[in-house]
Amino acid sequence: MPGDAGMGDMADLNERALAKYRNDFLREVEERVDEGHWVKMCMQCGVCAGSCPFGPHWEHSPPKIFLMIRAGKREAVLTSDSMWMCTSCYNCVVRCPRKLPITTIMHGLATYAQRLGLAPKVQPTRDFSIIFWENFTRTGRANEMRLMLRLWFKEGFAAGVKKALSMRDLGLAMLRTKRMSPLEILGGHGVKDVKGFQAMIRKAKEIEDRRRGLSG
Amino acid sequence: MADTKIAAYICRGCGLGERLSTGQLAKIAEKEGKAAIVREHDFLCSEAGVQLIRDDIEKQGATHVAIAACSRRAKTEAFHFPTVAVSRANLREGVIWCQPDTDAAREATQEMADDYVRMACDELKRMKVPAGNPDAARLRRLLVVGGGVSGMTAALEASKAGYAVTIVEKSGALGGWAAKLWKRTPAHEPFREPADTGVAALVAAVEADPNITVRLASVIARTSGAPGRFSVDIAAESGATATEAFGAIVQATGFTPYDAAKLPELGFGRSPNVVDQAGLEALARAAAAKGGPIRRPSDGGEVKTVVFVQCAGQRDDSGRHLPYCSGHCCATSIKQAMYFKDANPAVDTVVLYTDLRVPGNGEDFYRSGQSKGVVFSKGQVSAVEPSGDACTVRFRDLILDEDTAIENADLVVLATGQVPNAGVDIDQVPQDEPGQWRPDSRSVLNLAYRQGKDLPLLRHGFSDSHFICFPYETRRTGIYTAGPVRRPMDIAQAVEDATGAALKAIQAIENAAAGRAAHPRSGDLSFPIVRLEGCTQCKRCTVECPFGAIDEDEKRYPVFNESRCRRCGTCMGACPVRVIAFENYSVDTVGAQLKAVEIPDEFAEKPRILVLACENDAYPALDMAGMQRRVYSAFVRVIPVRCLGSVNTIWISDALNRGYDGVMLMGCKHGDDYQCHFVKGSELANYRMSKIDDTLKQMALETERVASYEVAITDIERLPRLIDEYAAKIGEIGLSPLKGFG
């Protein structure tokens, strides 16, 4: 899960993965990435790349990523920011003649890169994902007020104020129509059993780590 | 022609009665057409109408029947009178359906109909009922050359249909290339695993079949004759020669793998660890015999990485190697990668391809390969560098657009293509002089035909056949090709191909027995008759016949083999002294038609344009234009011809001399991607017409007065436009100055 492991743990995980899979990155992906076993089925037709609304903005289109995985280009794949560009529109999944769950694979790769500490450091989607995860795992509910403030102020106080001012009309309108409460800033609402919820998240991570061979 | 009694029938159905003065047509048939019997009928193709004609033939003794109704392509069953000569005036599709129903157009429409009735009557006077083919012979025996999967399949299929078969196989065993495979790509659901080749079962079936005789270690030393009566010398390796007679021949001589020694840059010959696909099959069979995995040839070491190089020496645009795709190699490489993956999933197998082509159910097989972990990379291999027991495979990654390499490949398999075993290229190796004939050891069939010893080729050494319209036909009637000698293919396709070729061969045997033509004039009983006393031995007919039907005797006179003839009339078109004719189609029958047309004088301002239209594509397209009520100029008079190749230039000069203002020739597309049903007819016509300009200049006529068009059967919309444009052009250059002299 993003942001959940310390840097030392990450480097360690990466070392262990390298040792375990040596040059067989395809097998690593098949075992450790969501739906990774589909990667070998790509036939490089390029329909996904042509269907992607973000197509021109990716450094590596899905068929390239899949090819790089098959060619063992581990570092290039895991440090790529391409899978972070996926907006989950599912165009590619609908059109893939080989029925690859491309969106899931992309998110799986992003998550795996993040776990190993290889994900690109300055990447807005990644930043948002981390902020969002930390925000909602705190209480079990997304706290929109705090989420927005953290997002706006992540590049410093001045930038945050400027962003807040630019959004003020929308903010006031939301307040007026009771779509947002300023009181949320104090801690906000949560699920009834926050401790139980957090235990569930921990358990889920433990199970998934075990399944993916990531636990020690 | 004292015994000629012409009966003419004018139909009033389908609107003909309302649009045309049929009374006037009847009068023309009687007065100008000299028809002894003339009848109008409201519904000629009805039972009563047909009975009327039948009665006139039986009771009144009509010998020649002119039917002025719909196109000759319509109502063929109703108007089928095999005992008399029949001509058709196309008043429906060719007149009322392609002319507007207006008062202004009425006169020109009637003139068109008048002319077509005149033409039908005059053509009829020159026609005879085909008397039957003197070359008819029936031999229900089939020769199959080649004992591979294609040859054995053709033999078994023909045997099942009740025909005796002899297989002549060059090598000492049946089976061909398929017998050298360890396994084949699957031909059945679920198309996932390499399958048994099935060759042993096929060989057993052939050997157990009492209808099939197998002659191993034998070749064809000489083939002469025609469908129904081929005479073939079969020479055994031992030196013994037997002469046998056959009704038809299937040539299934297969392929040879492209010589990988021509690919040193891909490491072949520089390391035993670089093999072609056939080489890998040999390794797999040897390994299976020993019961172990495939080992590295150089030292017997373990194979950990195998690289398959697709399109090795194929799809090459440099001109050094094969320019075409052999079709089977992608699936073959997938199959061979599975040899390794199935034995040990830890072996790395990489297929480097530029386009993975797995036709048919190969797509399922491809997916199966991917599921098994065969890696497919889109890459163009530039070099294979052997060093010690390993090879480095350098390639351009076409997805990542970078040069990269696979190091430490233990085995590299080159997917080289199929080279057809088609014998000699008769365009390069001319036939021996008459009386000097000797067999050629490079030839497959050793034909004693005038045009050469083997089947004509189309491209890349494959035998000529039309890929879509008539795939099994070759340019030698009664001889059919099957399998990779015809085009590159795999086992499944070869089986299908052989079955089709066997059926065509059987058809040829039966046609020969009945004296009928084969495709495309199937069933035609006419054949070319030559008046030898007028022949100047110019050899144009023997050289130009697209089917090599005409041989030469020692004095260089043509010798017609009627059963080899497809009845296109290319010889008739070629003959400068016009001594070749069919009983029902000749220089005279067409000449009489074009002369029957009434040419208005120059002050009438009514041009006349002669259209000679190929009956296979252009004429049906014109009919269909009529069916769609597409209007075109009323100044044209259309005469269908068997093939543009049958157009004799005398027709053109006759037409121009008579005062026609223009001549349009409509034939099929020619060239490598020809659509001509007689393969070379339209090409030859085009060549002849390229020389017509001189004639036109001699006649002091504009070169535009003769125009050639390539027309497809689908040109329904285009044809009326072409006609109108041409009519407009004639309007521009003015009427012919030769009117009134003809």
Side-chain angles (χ1 to χ4, degrees):
Chain A
M1 306 294 153
D4 221 15
M7 284 306 283
D9 183 22
M10 286 175 172
D12 198 31
L13 265 181
N14 192 31
E15 289 303 315
R16 275 188 279 131
L18 274 171
K20 182 171 179 196
Y21 294 103
R22 294 172 196 279
N23 290 324
D24 202 346
F25 184 44
L26 176 62
R27 198 159 67 82
E28 184 177 350
V29 169
E30 287 184 340
E31 290 181 10
R32 293 191 158 184
V33 172
D34 274 357
E35 305 287 354
H37 61 279
W38 277 99
V39 168
K40 61 175 179 282
M41 299 306 289
C42 167
M43 63 173 186
Q44 301 290 322
C45 67
V47 163
C48 51
S51 309
C52 182
F54 264 71
H57 306 289
W58 300 52
E59 190 190 352
H60 306 113
S61 61
K64 273 192 185 170
I65 289 277
F66 299 152
L67 190 91
M68 287 157 75
I69 293 171
R70 298 189 323 205
K73 297 179 182 291
R74 186 177 188 274
E75 173 136 5
V77 171
L78 294 176
T79 58
S80 168
D81 78 340
S82 296
M83 43 282 186
W84 296 96
M85 304 290 276
C86 174
T87 61
S88 307
C89 74
Y90 285 87
N91 240 347
C92 53
V93 179
V94 169
R95 290 184 178 169
C96 175
R98 281 293 179 80
K99 301 186 165 54
L100 265 72
I102 300 166
T103 308
T104 316
I105 302 170
M106 287 299 140
H107 293 316
L109 282 170
T111 308
Y112 187 56
Q114 170 69 15
R115 278 301 297 275
L116 300 189
L118 297 176
K121 292 293 169 282
V122 187
Q123 217 296 325
T125 319
R126 176 178 166 272
D127 291 346
F128 176 81
S129 303
I130 293 168
I131 293 167
F132 180 82
W133 180 260
E134 286 173 353
N135 177 288
F136 104 93
T137 50
R138 191 188 300 275
T139 62
R141 294 267 187 249
N143 186 320
E144 285 161 355
M145 199 72 192
R146 292 168 73 110
L147 182 70
M148 268 186 322
L149 289 175
R150 225 187 121 185
L151 209 54
W152 291 348
F153 286 91
K154 77 181 165 76
E155 274 153 31
F157 185 75
V161 171
K162 212 170 148 194
K163 185 79 183 166
L165 282 173
S166 76
M167 299 290 278
R168 87 179 158 249
D169 288 349
L170 182 65
L172 288 171
M174 285 177 79
L175 283 174
R176 262 202 309 280
T177 51
K178 302 207 167 87
R179 305 300 296 173
M180 190 170 67
S181 161
L183 297 176
E184 287 282 302
I185 203 163
L186 302 172
H189 68 302
V191 293
K192 278 180 194 157
D193 178 9
V194 174
K195 282 211 159 46
F197 166 75
Q198 284 170 343
M200 264 164 61
I201 296 282
R202 267 197 307 279
K203 192 69 188 172
K205 178 175 180 297
E206 192 189 311
I207 294 169
E208 194 170 308
D209 278 3
R210 200 164 52 235
R211 193 157 58 87
R212 302 243 172 260
L214 288 166
S215 46
Chain B
M1 280 191 275
D3 54 346
T4 301
K5 185 167 185 182
I6 295 178
Y9 301 86
I10 321 286
C11 183
R12 286 195 297 244
C14 292
L16 289 167
E18 291 88 68
R19 297 280 304 277
L20 300 169
S21 160
T22 50
Q24 182 173 324
L25 298 177
K27 208 173 288 165
I28 288 172
E30 192 189 339
K31 293 264 157 55
E32 300 177 44
K34 308 280 185 245
I37 304 168
V38 180
R39 298 188 200 281
E40 291 177 54
H41 196 278
D42 283 335
F43 189 1
L44 194 60
C45 59
S46 67
E47 217 165 291
V50 172
Q51 192 56 45
L52 179 77
I53 303 174
R54 209 171 284 140
D55 285 347
D56 284 345
I57 295 168
E58 283 163 17
K59 294 174 191 155
Q60 308 289 322
T63 58
H64 289 63
V65 170
I67 294 169
C70 42
S71 164
R72 48 160 34 197
R73 299 178 53 84
K75 304 288 173 196
T76 48
E77 281 171 23
F79 297 138
H80 178 62
F81 306 108
T83 57
V84 297
V86 178
S87 72
R88 302 276 295 264
N90 185 358
L91 304 185
R92 191 178 68 171
E93 289 86 343
V95 181
I96 61 163
W97 281 0
C98 64
Q99 295 306 317
D101 186 8
T102 59
D103 285 338
R106 202 156 321 278
E107 185 187 321
T109 309
Q110 181 70 36
E111 283 174 2
M112 247 181 146
D114 293 350
D115 275 343
Y116 280 127
V117 170
R118 290 184 188 106
M119 288 157 80
C121 291
D122 280 16
E123 178 192 17
L124 209 46
K125 290 173 198 155
R126 314 283 172 153
M127 283 171 78
K128 268 188 265 173
V129 180
N133 185 345
D135 195 23
R138 183 191 179 114
L139 248 176
R140 302 190 83 197
R141 298 187 63 211
L142 179 65
L143 169 67
V144 174
V145 188
V149 165
S150 315
M152 288 192 289
T153 306
L156 286 168
E157 294 291 340
S159 160
K160 278 189 232 164
Y163 292 79
V165 185
T166 298
I167 298 179
V168 173
E169 164 60 40
K170 196 176 184 177
S171 77
L174 291 173
W177 272 108
K180 295 178 180 156
L181 307 181
W182 184 43
K183 291 188 176 170
R184 61 171 290 187
T185 49
H188 300 287
E189 277 279 359
F191 306 99
R192 269 191 216 128
E193 308 294 334
D196 181 76
T197 60
V199 171
L202 207 53
V203 172
V206 166
E207 285 171 349
D209 194 320
N211 266 344
I212 303 177
T213 312
V214 179
R215 288 178 176 276
L216 297 175
S218 298
V219 294
I220 308 294
R222 187 171 198 270
T223 304
S224 61
R229 55 168 185 88
F230 284 113
S231 171
V232 180
D233 293 354
I234 302 169
E237 222 167 66
S238 60
T241 299
T243 302
E244 289 192 32
F246 298 98
I249 300 171
V250 170
Q251 181 182 333
T253 41
F255 71 99
T256 307
Y258 185 67
D259 186 5
K262 291 178 184 164
L263 301 163
E265 68 275 21
L266 297 183
F268 195 88
R270 286 157 59 208
S271 162
N273 298 336
V274 181
V275 294
D276 62 4
Q277 288 183 326
L280 191 88
E281 295 293 339
L283 289 177
R285 285 169 66 86
K290 276 199 219 156
I294 299 170
R295 317 288 300 183
R296 193 161 57 194
S298 63
D299 63 344
E302 192 192 344
V303 173
K304 289 185 190 140
T305 303
V306 191
V307 178
F308 294 88
V309 179
Q310 297 310 108
C311 303
Q314 300 193 64
R315 302 180 63 207
D316 169 80
D317 51 15
S318 73
R320 289 183 302 139
H321 302 299
L322 303 180
Y324 54 86
C325 163
S326 291
H328 77 93
C329 343
C330 285
T332 299
S333 285
I334 295 169
K335 175 194 75 176
Q336 294 184 340
M338 286 186 187
Y339 291 174
F340 295 95
K341 280 287 182 191
D342 289 345
N344 176 11
V347 177
D348 280 333
T349 51
V350 183
V351 178
L352 294 174
Y353 67 94
T354 49
D355 301 284
L356 209 78
R357 293 176 172 176
V358 279
N361 290 294
E363 198 65 30
D364 289 341
F365 193 51
Y366 173 26
R367 260 195 292 271
S368 172
Q370 287 179 304
S371 303
K372 290 181 183 201
V374 179
V375 172
F376 294 86
S377 278
K378 197 172 166 77
Q380 179 99 46
V381 176
S382 53
V384 176
E385 293 162 1
S387 117
D389 291 319
C391 292
T392 300
V393 182
R394 300 200 181 281
F395 65 101
R396 178 99 192 147
D397 188 315
L398 297 174
I399 299 285
L400 303 178
D401 201 23
E402 63 186 23
D403 290 322
T404 179
I406 297 172
E407 320 262 350
N408 299 320
D410 300 300
L411 253 181
V412 177
V413 184
L414 306 180
T416 59
Q418 294 180 327
V419 180
N421 294 334
V424 298
D425 181 352
I426 60 170
D427 288 334
Q428 309 299 323
V429 184
Q431 184 58 286
D432 306 323
E433 295 291 313
Q436 313 271 312
W437 195 93
R438 295 280 174 280
D440 186 329
S441 62
R442 298 164 298 171
S443 168
V444 171
L445 294 172
N446 270 309
L447 292 167
Y449 290 18
R450 188 249 179 262
Q451 289 183 4
K453 290 192 169 71
D454 276 306
L455 300 176
L457 309 178
L458 180 60
R459 248 182 299 185
H460 315 317
F462 292 94
S463 64
D464 193 353
S465 72
H466 197 282
F467 187 75
I468 294 165
C469 298
F470 33 95
Y472 305 113
E473 298 290 346
T474 67
R475 282 174 52 200
R476 297 293 177 258
T477 311
I479 307 177
Y480 299 88
T481 48
V485 70
R486 195 171 71 70
R487 66 172 178 82
M489 61 176 79
D490 63 10
I491 293 177
Q493 289 168 321
V495 167
E496 193 175 293
D497 214 47
T499 309
L503 282 170
K504 291 304 289 185
I506 289 169
Q507 203 179 47
I509 288 173
E510 297 303 328
N511 274 335
R516 294 185 302 230
H519 168 92
R521 289 190 60 82
S522 337
D524 188 359
L525 291 168
S526 70
F527 54 90
I529 297 170
V530 60
R531 204 162 44 78
L532 275 183
E533 57 274 25
C535 172
T536 59
Q537 299 127 297
C538 77
K539 299 193 283 184
R540 275 181 57 188
C541 57
T542 62
V543 171
E544 291 191 2
C545 173
F547 304 99
I550 314 170
D551 291 332
E552 276 166 28
D553 67 11
E554 289 186 25
K555 288 181 184 160
R556 304 301 177 112
Y557 280 111
V559 179
F560 283 74
N561 294 277
E562 289 81 3
S563 287
R564 286 194 219 155
C565 170
R566 302 275 182 93
R567 281 72 163 175
C568 57
T570 296
C571 49
M572 185 176 111
C575 184
V577 286
R578 300 181 292 283
V579 294
I580 302 172
F582 296 81
E583 287 150 313
N584 52 8
Y585 179 67
S586 63
V587 170
D588 282 351
T589 60
V590 175
Q593 286 180 75
L594 67 91
K595 285 173 194 161
V597 171
E598 211 161 71
I599 308 286
D601 65 32
E602 56 194 304
F603 308 108
E605 298 207 339
K606 283 177 183 166
R608 287 292 175 257
I609 297 164
L610 178 66
V611 177
L612 295 170
C614 164
E615 67 177 9
N616 295 295
D617 274 17
Y619 200 71
L622 278 169
D623 274 357
M624 286 188 279
M627 289 175 208
Q628 296 183 3
R629 307 296 194 277
R630 294 182 186 276
V631 172
Y632 54 82
S633 167
F635 299 141
V636 294
R637 300 293 179 264
V638 184
I639 300 177
V641 294
R642 288 188 177 185
C643 174
L644 220 47
S646 70
V647 171
N648 197 297
T649 44
I650 190 79
W651 296 340
I652 317 254
S653 44
D654 274 0
L656 295 171
N657 275 322
R658 277 191 60 78
Y660 280 88
D661 303 283
V663 180
M664 295 177 86
L665 297 156
M666 296 181 181
C668 302
K669 184 168 172 46
H670 50 81
D672 269 1
D673 47 353
Y674 64 85
Q675 291 181 1
C676 177
H677 292 57
F678 297 103
V679 186
K680 289 282 164 193
S682 60
E683 185 176 311
L684 288 165
N686 189 62
Y687 176 74
R688 290 175 203 151
M689 292 316 142
S690 69
K691 313 263 179 204
I692 203 103
D693 285 2
D694 290 341
T695 315
L696 290 167
K697 277 176 201 148
Q698 276 173 14
M699 296 168 82
L701 288 174
E702 299 81 353
T703 52
E704 290 91 336
R705 296 219 186 261
V706 179
S708 297
Y709 298 89
E710 281 186 354
V711 170
I713 197 160
T714 47
D715 282 343
I716 301 161
E717 211 176 327
R718 175 174 166 250
L719 264 188
R721 204 170 61 234
L722 284 183
I723 289 174
D724 286 348
E725 282 167 9
Y726 189 70
K729 166 153 280 172
I730 293 298
E732 275 169 38
I733 58 176
L735 294 184
S736 166
L738 299 180
K739 284 184 196 293
F741 295 98

